[in-house]
Amino acid sequence: MAMTATVGHAHADPHHIGVVIEHPGPAPKRIVTAYGFWVFLLSDIVMFSCFFAAYAVLSGQTAGGPKGAEIFEQRNVAIETVCLLLSSFTCGMASIAADVRNRFWFYLGMSVTCVLGLIFLVIEFREFADLVGRGYGPSRSAFLTAFFSLVGCHGLHVSAGVLWLLTMMAQVFAKGFRADVLRRMMCFALFWHALDIIWVGVFSVVYLLGGAP
Amino acid sequence: MLGKLDWSAIPFDQPIPLVAGAVVLVAIFGVLAWVAVKGHLPYLWHEWITSVDHKRIGVMYILLASVMLLRGGSDAIMMRIQQAVAYQSQGYLPPEHYNQIFSAHGTIMIFFVAMPFVIGLMNLVVPLQLGVRDVAFPTLNSVGFWLTATGALLVNISLVVGEFARTGWLAFPPLSELSYSPGVGVDYYAWSLQISGVGTLVAGINLVTTVLKLRTRGMNYLRMPMFCWTTLASNLLIVAAFPILTATLAMLLLDRYLGFHFFTNEAGGNVMMFMNLIWAWGHPEVYILVLPAFGIFSEVVSTFSGKALFGYRSMVLATMAICVISFMVWLHHFFTMGAGPNVNAIFGIASMIIAVPTGVKIYNWLFTMYGGRIRFATPMLWSVGFMVTFIIGGLTGVLVAVPPADFMLHNSMFLVAHFHNVIIGGVLFGAFAGFEYWFPKAFGFRLDERWGKAAFWFTFTGFYVTFMPLYIVGMLGMTRRMQHYDVAAWRPWMIIAALGMAVLTMGVICQIVQLVVSIRNREALRDRTGDPWDGRSLEWATSSPPPVFNFAFHPDVRGEDAYWDMKVHARQQSFEHDVPEYQDIEMPRNSPTGFVCAFFATIMGFALIWHIWWMVILGGIGAFATFVVFAWRDHDEYVIPAAEVAAIDRVNIEERRSLVSMAGAV
Ligand code: HEM
Ligand SMILES: [Cu+2]
């Protein structure tokens, strides 16, 4: 408001604490968007932690069905992990390419990310299909319920990520590196990296701890 | 083709829901027809439905809450009448219908009255108090509102098509599992909460980001109005707690739809896990509701006492303390379920600790009033009424937080009395106070004081007459959710409670009348200054209703009570100011995204409830397509030219100058 224009800074330090850090005003859009998305990611992580908690509670409830050590295949999980970690790297490359407005490297980085994500999904899907085929589906026991839900929830996130990734590529193709497209790209990258972090949790809690005989 | 849906879904044999449904349908189509005939449809579409203006969205939230308050209120009336007449008889409601009513009542009141009311007020006010032009993500804000509306719509559809849950408002398993609740009731419950929960989460993220990242120049944390602080705390809780609800309901739905075993009795499922998860969300939820109300009372009490809030910093501290502790007490909701004495003791003590920061707040309000020049306008009445009522509710709360006492009172009417005591005396009174207080800001005219005061007194007395007897029958051993009973000693109290409900209803009627009368007299009640209460925070620094862009300039804040300071200085310096240099303002464009998205969400929710899978897929594709279309648009902002800003702002400044010179003369 203009009406304060002549008022001095007499009130700058109402509590006399000696430090006056004046707030500079609304943050730029880029910061606001990324910040809001971070908050969303945190809430998503809270949701995952519920499924982690459920897994922790139910992992012993095999109801006569198989235990974790009997059904996990460490080799597959290792490949999945490598795929996902590598894809985070290529996603980072794509982000850098977007920052310097380099279309070729952007498309390349995103495509490799997409392929790695798809490999991950295929392996996971085959693992699930195999288990269901052997009669160890999610309704077999509470342990399998928790397992399928936790891992499947992560898998769903990866699938959504792949869909988003393709949309991002189409957007860059159609709109170029516009400010709003770049902001979305930043959010996508945050999302993809967060999935990696969650996978590390899944990997340790489900496969490493549960896989130990 | 239509999944489980067929003609048997419509309860032709039950007159009450059918008649109620018919009345509602006629009302809806009547309103729609009137709107269409009068040619208001384009106006509604452009100015409201597709609006991304936080003020409009806030108003729509409050409208939704008010309509649903009538729905939840009629459920309450039906329950009170039933319990008044059901002594040694079946009463007038069939048992399974009664069970649906209390489940719908609780669900509606918490999720579709209290939540939208406080979120609406926060949406309306917080950007104004922070001195900014909008929330962080305006379009998302609209999506959040419309998803909440979808949830409300689904609950109401259950009135006519199918049934609602009979499980109570938290749908505890194994009762809510497929084997005990094979119908669609629990599915209605879960999907409407799932969808509106996404909306709530979106609103929470939006408001957290707004408060943390968008404050105007000089608005340091310790200069924010109290309502902004409580908004921050409440929305932090939303962001941290609502994902738990989402996960819990997802698990319940997986159990029901795909035969999973999270909470079943068979195959190792664990019912206690549901208790822990749902209350890990549920306890913070009550603070999500009551913290904004605390903020409203803080604003109202200091404005109408003409004093700065006493102990501002301790208030901030208390707010944040409540925010944290509320996450550590959830287990007090199931003391009786065998966690053992040590666990119970720890959670009992933790629960009682919350009374400390809450007490700090009460004292601060009292000290703010002490020595102040108090004006008992309607918002102030609600606030004082709250302080009295909430103290009783808080004390009975501490009582049930003592595990041995809880063993006696658990699931009794005492508990029902307690939580209505805090939820009506806290949240609802706060919502009404905020409604009366900020109404002139939103619409440019005040509400009629006489009817407002009548509404307060009816509600206040009605509340006591209705709920104090429930404490007594609770002590006499009456448990909650009873369809009928044979104990003679309870009967008189139930009749008194029903009479109290009649008084409460008078309060509601007064409020409706107040609205009608005020709209009729709006010219006489017009607020030209933008500052009808002699307010202290920035929302009063702009005109009422504010222009789309709220402020021609981001205000420059120099201390607490920003606008008060400005007024004081303006009076001292007889309102000198430089002629400001106006600039173009960019504002977000309207967007139908929220509405379209909610349309598909409604289709998808309905299809999921009735297992109509092709429609689910259709709805999903539609929702995704909506977002892609939204992401594809090229112009998401429009420019208001500086000249226009100047013209709008000059009027505001003139009005204000006369206000200040008048006040200076007094
Ligand atoms: C307007 C006056 C109100 C009356 C007369 C009223 C009455 C009742 C009654 C009779 C019950 C059922 C108790 C039983 O089952 O034995 C109940 C339950 C409940 N009420 Fe209210 N209520 C009112 C307002 C509210 C409000 C404003 C809220 C929340 C914002 C609310 C939230 C609840 C909840 C959560 C339940 C528990 C439902 C369940 O048993 O699952 N009520 N109310
Ligand atoms: Cu609690």
Side-chain angles (χ1 to χ4, degrees):
Chain A
M1 296 306 298
M3 60 186 77
T4 57
T6 55
V7 178
H9 268 260
H11 277 242
D13 183 16
H15 304 289
H16 313 289
I17 30 176
V19 243
V20 191
I21 307 160
E22 283 292 331
H23 180 67
K29 220 167 189 169
R30 216 181 80 90
I31 307 273
V32 172
T33 307
Y35 197 88
F37 197 75
W38 250 118
V39 177
F40 162 74
L41 283 179
L42 290 179
S43 75
D44 208 33
I45 286 174
V46 173
M47 195 201 58
F48 266 108
S49 42
C50 294
F51 282 100
F52 273 109
Y55 181 81
V57 170
L58 299 178
S59 59
Q61 305 295 329
T62 51
K67 289 198 195 37
E70 297 163 30
I71 54 171
F72 297 151
E73 278 198 43
Q74 304 293 16
R75 196 178 58 93
N76 273 349
V77 182
I79 300 174
E80 282 180 304
T81 309
V82 170
C83 280
L84 215 55
L85 292 182
L86 268 185
S87 81
S88 243
F89 176 72
T90 54
C91 175
M93 296 293 284
S95 301
I96 296 173
D99 281 343
V100 299
R101 315 279 193 279
N102 185 322
R103 281 189 187 241
F104 172 76
W105 283 102
F106 174 79
Y107 290 134
L108 186 67
M110 290 294 259
S111 310
V112 178
T113 311
C114 180
V115 170
L116 289 170
L118 287 175
I119 296 178
F120 174 90
L121 284 174
V122 168
I123 297 178
E124 185 158 282
F125 184 78
R126 276 188 29 206
E127 180 189 12
F128 280 10
D130 174 52
L131 282 176
V132 173
R134 284 198 277 162
Y136 299 153
S139 12
R140 176 64 190 80
S141 70
F143 155 64
L144 284 165
T145 287
F147 164 76
F148 271 90
S149 312
L150 175 56
V151 180
C153 185
H154 179 268
L156 274 182
H157 275 72
V158 177
S159 317
V162 170
L163 210 58
W164 187 359
L165 183 156
L166 295 174
T167 319
M168 279 324 303
M169 286 174 75
Q171 283 229 304
V172 171
F173 180 76
K175 310 269 168 196
F177 294 112
R178 232 169 41 183
D180 57 343
V181 176
L182 284 178
R183 283 200 299 272
R184 274 175 216 138
M185 182 57 207
M186 182 171 53
C187 292
F188 168 74
L190 282 174
F191 182 73
W192 198 259
H193 295 315
L195 288 188
D196 232 7
I197 296 173
I198 291 172
W199 177 255
V200 172
V202 173
F203 172 74
S204 328
V205 171
V206 176
Y207 291 103
L208 280 187
L209 288 179
Chain B
M1 185 69 181
L2 285 181
K4 303 202 305 191
L5 187 61
D6 57 30
W7 285 112
S8 67
I10 307 209
F12 289 112
D13 52 333
Q14 289 176 29
I16 296 175
L18 264 199
V19 172
V23 170
V24 171
L25 274 186
V26 168
I28 290 177
F29 279 109
V31 171
L32 280 184
W34 180 80
V35 164
V37 169
K38 285 268 192 169
H40 290 323
L41 225 45
Y43 166 77
L44 270 190
W45 178 259
H46 292 297
E47 295 291 322
W48 292 92
I49 294 175
T50 61
S51 175
V52 295
D53 181 343
H54 71 96
K55 302 178 285 293
R56 297 276 163 98
I57 293 175
V59 168
M60 290 194 287
Y61 263 117
I62 295 171
L63 188 67
L64 174 72
S66 312
V67 172
M68 295 305 282
L69 181 64
L70 297 182
R71 163 75 212 275
S74 37
D75 289 336
I77 295 176
M78 289 174 72
M79 284 189 288
R80 283 273 65 90
I81 296 179
Q82 168 76 7
Q83 289 196 330
V85 300
Y87 169 62
Q88 288 190 339
S89 82
Q90 287 293 328
Y92 73 108
L93 290 173
E96 77 280 0
H97 189 193
Y98 186 82
N99 296 353
Q100 288 183 41
I101 292 182
F102 69 65
S103 307
H105 167 76
T107 310
I108 286 176
M109 285 298 197
I110 298 284
F111 292 96
F112 302 114
V113 176
M115 285 301 279
F117 217 130
V118 295
I119 293 181
L121 286 171
M122 295 191 286
N123 245 312
L124 176 68
V125 177
V126 165
L128 290 169
Q129 287 196 331
L130 294 176
V132 294
R133 303 224 156 97
D134 210 326
V135 289
F137 309 107
T139 311
L140 213 58
N141 203 15
S142 154
V143 173
F145 165 72
W146 285 106
L147 288 181
T148 310
T150 292
L153 182 63
L154 284 177
V155 173
N156 282 300
I157 290 177
S158 79
L159 197 61
V160 188
V161 187
E163 52 167 6
F164 197 69
R166 300 164 192 181
T167 49
W169 74 292
L170 285 181
F172 293 142
L175 180 57
S176 54
E177 291 283 353
L178 206 54
S179 37
Y180 298 94
S181 295
V184 292
V186 176
D187 304 327
Y188 264 112
Y189 165 88
W191 286 115
S192 45
L193 294 200
Q194 220 43 331
I195 292 171
S196 67
V198 174
T200 307
L201 179 66
V202 165
I205 293 172
N206 221 332
L207 283 163
V208 167
T209 314
T210 306
V211 175
L212 292 181
K213 285 288 155 208
L214 286 194
R215 285 161 292 131
T216 184
R217 235 174 315 140
M219 181 69 87
N220 293 347
Y221 282 117
L222 285 176
R223 291 173 183 174
M224 289 200 304
M226 209 47 225
F227 186 56
C228 295
W229 267 108
T230 56
T231 295
L232 175 63
S234 165
N235 286 285
L236 284 175
L237 284 176
I238 288 183
V239 171
F242 265 76
I244 309 181
L245 178 69
T246 307
T248 314
L249 291 177
M251 291 177 198
L252 182 63
L253 286 165
L254 284 170
D255 277 5
R256 289 180 61 87
Y257 278 70
L258 299 175
F260 281 36
H261 291 289
F262 280 108
F263 313 123
T264 54
N265 286 335
E266 309 86 41
N270 188 331
V271 173
M272 285 316 290
M273 195 166 72
F274 185 91
M275 300 297 165
N276 278 296
L277 284 172
I278 201 84
W279 284 113
W281 158 80
H283 191 83
E285 164 70 5
V286 301
Y287 288 92
I288 291 170
L289 294 175
V290 88
L291 280 172
F294 287 171
I296 295 170
F297 295 125
S298 304
E299 303 292 305
V300 168
V301 166
S302 97
T303 299
F304 288 94
S305 305
K307 275 175 68 187
L309 191 65
F310 182 90
Y312 172 83
R313 297 190 150 206
S314 61
M315 210 67 147
V316 171
L317 209 64
T319 304
M320 294 325 272
I322 292 177
C323 181
V324 173
I325 304 174
S326 68
F327 256 109
M328 311 199 288
V329 301
W330 76 92
L331 196 134
H332 64 209
H333 292 275
F334 41 100
F335 279 148
T336 54
M337 296 196 196
N342 292 334
V343 174
N344 279 2
I346 290 169
F347 278 89
I349 292 167
S351 311
M352 286 180 249
I353 288 176
I354 291 205
V356 176
T358 314
V360 168
K361 282 180 170 261
I362 301 258
Y363 282 115
N364 281 343
W365 290 317
L366 292 177
F367 284 130
T368 306
M369 289 165 66
Y370 181 77
R373 256 191 290 157
I374 303 179
R375 289 169 286 159
F376 282 105
T378 319
M380 189 63 177
L381 281 185
W382 287 111
S383 307
V384 176
F386 149 80
M387 281 183 239
V388 178
T389 310
F390 196 81
I391 290 173
I392 303 177
L395 289 179
T396 56
V398 174
L399 195 60
V400 287
V402 181
D406 189 61
F407 271 75
M408 302 305 295
L409 298 170
H410 180 71
N411 253 356
S412 73
M413 286 306 257
F414 189 93
L415 181 83
V416 174
H418 154 68
F419 74 69
H420 283 85
N421 206 163
V422 286
I423 245 166
I424 296 181
V427 183
L428 215 56
F429 281 19
F432 291 155
F435 178 76
E436 303 272 336
Y437 183 56
W438 283 306
F439 188 92
K441 185 43 63 185
F443 292 103
F445 60 96
R446 258 178 291 183
L447 288 167
D448 186 274
E449 280 282 303
R450 283 216 347 262
W451 283 103
K453 287 185 174 155
F456 167 76
W457 284 112
F458 275 120
T459 311
F460 187 72
T461 354
F463 167 79
Y464 279 91
V465 181
T466 313
F467 288 99
M468 293 303 128
L470 300 197
Y471 279 122
I472 299 173
V473 286
M475 305 255 231
L476 293 177
M478 182 170 180
T479 52
R480 73 200 282 205
R481 300 178 183 169
M482 292 188 102
Q483 298 134 6
H484 47 86
Y485 55 90
D486 297 329
V487 180
W490 299 345
R491 184 165 200 221
W493 301 113
M494 300 321 291
I495 294 176
I496 295 178
L499 293 179
M501 188 67 223
V503 182
L504 261 178
T505 311
M506 293 296 294
V508 174
I509 293 174
C510 284
Q511 256 172 354
I512 297 173
V513 174
Q514 180 198 31
L515 207 55
V516 175
V517 168
S518 313
I519 293 175
R520 285 237 179 111
N521 292 345
R522 61 185 175 280
E523 280 318 314
L525 293 166
R526 180 81 56 202
D527 160 39
R528 291 186 199 290
T529 61
D531 183 20
W533 312 114
D534 201 6
R536 314 180 68 85
S537 40
L538 284 178
E539 75 268 36
W540 308 110
T542 179
S543 59
S544 324
V548 246
F549 48 82
N550 292 350
F551 299 96
F553 294 91
H554 285 300
D556 198 353
V557 175
R558 306 289 166 91
E560 278 168 36
D561 281 344
Y563 183 50
W564 187 260
D565 284 354
M566 289 180 190
K567 282 194 282 195
V568 169
H569 282 281
R571 274 166 208 168
Q572 283 165 359
Q573 310 184 353
S574 62
F575 216 95
E576 283 170 42
H577 62 86
D578 315 328
V579 173
E581 240 184 71
Y582 292 97
Q583 281 169 350
D584 293 355
I585 293 180
E586 285 186 350
M587 292 303 290
R589 226 175 239 289
N590 279 6
S591 160
T593 308
F595 188 76
V596 176
C597 184
F599 173 78
F600 286 116
T602 309
I603 291 191
M604 212 158 117
F606 188 79
L608 280 164
I609 290 163
W610 291 100
H611 298 231
I612 312 173
W613 303 120
W614 59 268
M615 217 156 115
V616 175
I617 295 169
L618 218 63
I621 294 175
F624 178 68
T626 315
F627 277 110
V628 174
V629 171
F630 170 68
W632 231 259
R633 64 186 188 161
D634 284 324
H635 305 286
D636 50 359
E637 291 189 327
Y638 68 103
V639 174
I640 305 175
E644 205 179 320
V645 176
I648 296 174
D649 197 45
R650 214 158 288 141
V651 180
N652 177 28
I653 289 185
E654 287 311 314
E655 292 291 352
R656 210 157 288 266
R657 199 191 299 260
S658 64
L659 168 79
V660 170
S661 57
M662 250 159 49
V666 172

